[in-house]
Amino acid sequence: MEISRRKFLKSISAASGASLVSKSQFAHGAERFTGWPERFGILTDITRCVGCRSCEAACNEINKLPAPKIPFEDQSVFEKIRRTDAQIYTVVNRYPNPKPGGPAVYVKKQCMHCDEPACASACLVKAFKKTQEGPVIYNKDVCIGCRYCMTACPFYVPAYEYDEPFKPEVKKCTMCFERISKDGIPACVEACPMEAMTFGKRSDLIRVARKRVIEQPDIYIDHIYGEHEIGGTSWLYISGVPFEKIGFRMDLGTTPYAELTKGFLGAVPLVLILWPAFLIGVYMFTRRRQEMVETEAENFEIEEDQQ
Amino acid sequence: MIRKTVVSIIVALLVCLLITSSSDGKKETPSSENVPGTCILGSLTKIYEPVIFSHSLHSLVTEDCATCHHHSEAGQTPSCKECHSELKDAYHSLCIGCHKEREMGPMGCTTCHVKKTTNEPPIKMKSKNEPETCTLRRLEKIYDPVIFSHEKHTNFADNCATCHHHSPIGQTPACGECHGAPFDPKNLSMPGLKGAYHLQCMGCHQETGSGQLGCTDCHAKKLSQKTAKEEK
């Protein structure tokens, strides 16, 4: 197909112009979603936790997890800092109190149910979903086992069932999604004797946390962990000792992980259209030139032969 | 000409007055400096101790001021006697009415109207109703009942309000009168009964460095539940 240079330049500039101006479907990721307003959350008051592990026991029972190697009453489990596992959705870890002579600090760790989860963003098949109620839930029927979610999560929460050969799943805390969908409360929250965790709407919990922190400044650090970290999480923490001393990452920033990648990933389809169009145009243009050169060479040879 | 000007000035002044007077009190909640912590009602002080009404406690459990300061303009909180000449009836029907409706708070007479005693101050008064021990049986199925020694604790508490907090002086409401089911969305800061017990009891034990802190110190597992391994 022959195309003049003028036509080619016109069509390329038209295509680029159109793609810049039109609000294409590729641009939808640029808007910031502040979250489902009625979403639930859980506020954990670290000053109240005494390390009884009733929460771990309740989670184990509700999710029908296998019995742990070290029983729940055994305190020797605190000698090591543990992480969540395919069979352990939540752990309580013990940290020494930075204040000399202070009691040990116990911190419960589980999925943070982020408002814009990195796992959901990284998942190729939308196996993770942030529900309107608040929990981030997993759909085992679409999961392909690539474990990008495990790479993406900044809290190292999702755990893969490496021991399961035929139907491995990615396991993590579900915030007892079935229970809270029926007006219940998560099992760990219900079990805690000290009411270290409070269950309610995230917006209400932020207010409760602020109230506690403001009314007792000698007890609490002036920070609600999870309020803004990586765009906000549904699981919030307030503490009496600095968060960095008790295993919390302070380097996460406030941008949701999804926003870091939405921009250039959203441009990929556009690039895949524009680049080939441009390169085809260049090819057609140079082919015309090539043809002209070849025709001239043929004519030159014919002339030579004739001579 | 002059009359027209004078009339228009007067009208303008009246309009300004109207506007400024009607814009008062549009706020939903009065400023915190004016809100009393307690109201002391002493009209029967010849026979009874003054009734100490905890305004701060009640403002925590009501959604807004108009729940009690009813039939008044938004944001206004007139005192009861501003409208009610028969104060006694108004008090009793509003207060006891609400207590009955919510099934919380005192409903009898002597809870609020403590008969005067001339010998001891009411705070340290040992009432006949004071229990020696309280037996808490809620977890009977798995654990032996918790035996709380009320007598021991009254010996080293300064006054009743150390444990029976947020109530009028001398009043000793049972824990369950205020602490019910946890995580009420209207009052998330109020712990449920289980949380209240543990926070209050263990909180004090931690602070004073004495008293039980472990789970099994108070909740002994029932003998039949114990395995042979546990019985050493």
Side-chain angles (χ1 to χ4, degrees):
Chain A
M1 189 188 99
E2 288 179 10
I3 184 168
S4 70
R5 181 169 40 200
R6 184 176 287 184
K7 251 197 185 169
F8 163 67
L9 284 173
K10 268 197 221 166
S11 51
I12 277 291
S13 48
S16 330
S19 61
L20 283 167
V21 165
S22 70
K23 198 141 194 270
S24 69
Q25 60 187 348
F26 312 124
H28 75 105
E31 293 147 19
R32 179 71 195 274
F33 177 57
T34 48
W36 305 109
E38 302 288 308
R39 64 197 184 286
F40 290 115
I42 293 175
L43 171 67
T44 303
D45 190 333
I46 293 174
T47 62
R48 292 189 187 179
C49 180
V50 290
C52 70
R53 300 177 70 206
S54 303
C55 52
E56 290 192 45
C59 177
N60 181 288
E61 195 187 315
I62 281 289
N63 292 299
K64 301 193 182 53
L65 300 170
K69 293 197 190 76
I70 303 176
F72 292 113
E73 295 85 37
D74 195 337
Q75 295 268 307
S76 66
V77 74
F78 289 126
E79 282 156 20
K80 247 184 10 174
I81 301 290
R82 299 174 293 153
R83 62 152 283 177
T84 55
D85 204 289
Q87 279 120 22
I88 302 174
Y89 296 173
T90 182
V91 290
V92 179
N93 285 317
R94 181 175 66 194
Y95 296 88
N97 195 324
K99 295 182 208 151
V105 180
Y106 295 93
V107 182
K108 177 181 187 290
K109 184 183 143 98
Q110 70 299 302
C111 174
M112 298 289 278
H113 297 280
C114 306
D115 285 345
E116 287 200 62
C119 55
S121 166
C123 182
L124 311 180
V125 293
K126 273 202 194 168
F128 278 111
K129 176 179 160 188
K130 172 77 174 176
T131 57
Q132 279 191 14
E133 289 82 357
V136 175
I137 56 172
Y138 169 74
N139 183 355
K140 64 181 190 331
D141 296 324
V142 300
C143 177
I144 57 172
C146 71
R147 289 162 287 140
Y148 274 22
C149 52
M150 294 172 66
T151 320
C153 178
F155 303 107
Y156 308 107
V157 163
Y160 189 67
E161 285 185 310
Y162 290 106
D163 299 328
E164 174 60 43
F166 294 111
K167 289 189 193 162
E169 293 174 26
V170 175
K171 296 290 202 187
K172 69 170 189 69
C173 159
T174 58
M175 212 203 269
C176 286
F177 181 61
E178 286 82 28
R179 281 169 64 113
I180 66 178
S181 306
K182 296 180 199 141
D183 293 329
I185 57 174
C188 55
V189 177
E190 195 170 12
C192 180
M194 301 295 284
E195 254 184 63
M197 290 174 278
T198 310
F199 177 73
K201 278 197 356 204
R202 185 182 185 272
S203 46
D204 292 339
L205 293 176
I206 296 277
R207 287 195 200 99
V208 169
R210 282 196 193 132
K211 186 160 177 273
R212 275 192 217 172
V213 165
I214 289 169
E215 284 182 353
Q216 294 173 291
D218 47 337
I219 296 183
Y220 293 104
I221 299 283
D222 187 7
H223 182 60
I224 303 171
Y225 192 92
E227 189 181 2
H228 298 300
E229 275 76 2
I230 50 167
T233 64
S234 275
W235 211 290
L236 309 161
Y237 287 87
I238 48 177
S239 165
V241 300
F243 284 99
E244 55 269 18
K245 302 261 168 60
I246 48 175
F248 284 88
R249 284 186 67 174
M250 304 308 287
D251 59 343
L252 297 176
T254 56
T255 319
Y257 275 26
E259 258 190 43
L260 296 173
T261 50
K262 268 189 222 181
F264 67 80
L265 282 183
V268 164
L270 197 59
V271 168
L272 287 178
I273 290 170
L274 284 183
W275 259 117
F278 174 68
L279 292 173
I280 287 170
V282 169
Y283 166 69
M284 290 195 297
F285 176 68
T286 52
R287 189 177 67 171
R288 169 86 182 113
R289 282 231 155 180
Q290 190 71 9
E291 273 173 20
M292 282 168 59
V293 167
E294 278 168 10
T295 322
E296 274 182 31
E298 277 174 23
N299 291 342
F300 186 67
E301 278 176 20
I302 293 168
E303 276 174 25
E304 270 197 351
D305 288 342
Q306 282 175 351
Q307 280 171 3
Chain B
M1 184 63 190
I2 294 174
R3 200 172 68 172
K4 266 194 187 169
T5 329
V6 169
V7 168
S8 52
I9 288 173
I10 290 173
V11 168
L13 279 173
L14 281 172
V15 168
C16 286
L17 273 171
L18 270 171
I19 290 171
T20 50
S21 65
S22 66
S23 65
D24 284 338
K26 281 286 186 245
K27 281 197 295 200
E28 282 298 324
T29 49
S31 63
S32 51
E33 292 109 41
N34 302 333
V35 172
T38 51
C39 305
I40 302 182
L41 311 166
S43 53
L44 300 176
T45 42
K46 287 199 183 137
I47 330 165
Y48 299 103
E49 297 291 337
V51 175
I52 307 198
F53 170 67
S54 172
H55 190 277
S56 50
L57 170 74
H58 285 81
S59 55
L60 281 177
V61 301
T62 50
E63 292 83 31
D64 75 296
C65 308
T67 311
C68 298
H69 296 279
H70 55 190
H71 304 135
S72 35
E73 284 173 36
Q76 302 287 0
T77 52
S79 74
C80 309
K81 59 173 175 268
E82 275 178 48
C83 302
H84 292 279
S85 49
E86 285 298 312
L87 260 185
K88 177 177 82 169
D89 298 332
Y91 279 141
H92 291 123
S93 57
L94 187 73
C95 305
I96 302 185
C98 188
H99 291 169
K100 283 198 173 147
E101 208 180 290
R102 294 198 183 192
E103 292 174 35
M104 290 172 84
M107 286 176 251
C109 307
T110 49
T111 324
C112 294
H113 299 287
V114 180
K115 262 214 163 135
K116 266 183 139 89
T117 56
T118 46
N119 301 335
E120 290 162 42
I123 297 166
K124 278 292 188 185
M125 182 173 72
K126 258 196 177 316
S127 74
K128 291 179 203 143
N129 301 330
E130 213 177 280
E132 262 182 47
T133 56
C134 305
T135 310
L136 308 165
R137 294 182 190 280
R138 194 166 288 214
L139 302 174
E140 283 201 289
K141 292 197 183 135
I142 327 167
Y143 299 103
D144 286 337
V146 175
I147 315 277
F148 170 66
S149 169
H150 190 271
E151 194 173 5
K152 194 199 275 187
H153 286 81
T154 50
N155 287 338
F156 41 70
D158 294 330
N159 63 53
C160 308
T162 311
C163 298
H164 295 277
H165 54 192
H166 301 134
S167 25
I169 301 171
Q171 306 300 330
T172 52
C175 309
E177 275 182 50
C178 301
H179 294 282
F183 316 128
D184 177 6
K186 294 184 198 141
N187 197 358
L188 279 172
S189 303
M190 171 78 96
L193 190 57
K194 176 171 80 170
Y197 277 139
H198 291 103
L199 287 167
Q200 183 80 305
C201 308
M202 288 169 74
C204 187
H205 292 173
Q206 269 172 351
E207 227 175 271
T208 55
S210 64
Q212 282 100 328
L213 280 174
C215 308
T216 46
D217 295 334
C218 294
H219 301 284
K221 260 207 165 141
K222 278 187 123 82
L223 213 57
S224 55
Q225 302 260 345
K226 282 188 188 165
T227 61
K229 216 200 296 184
E230 283 173 21
E231 279 175 18
K232 282 178 186 166

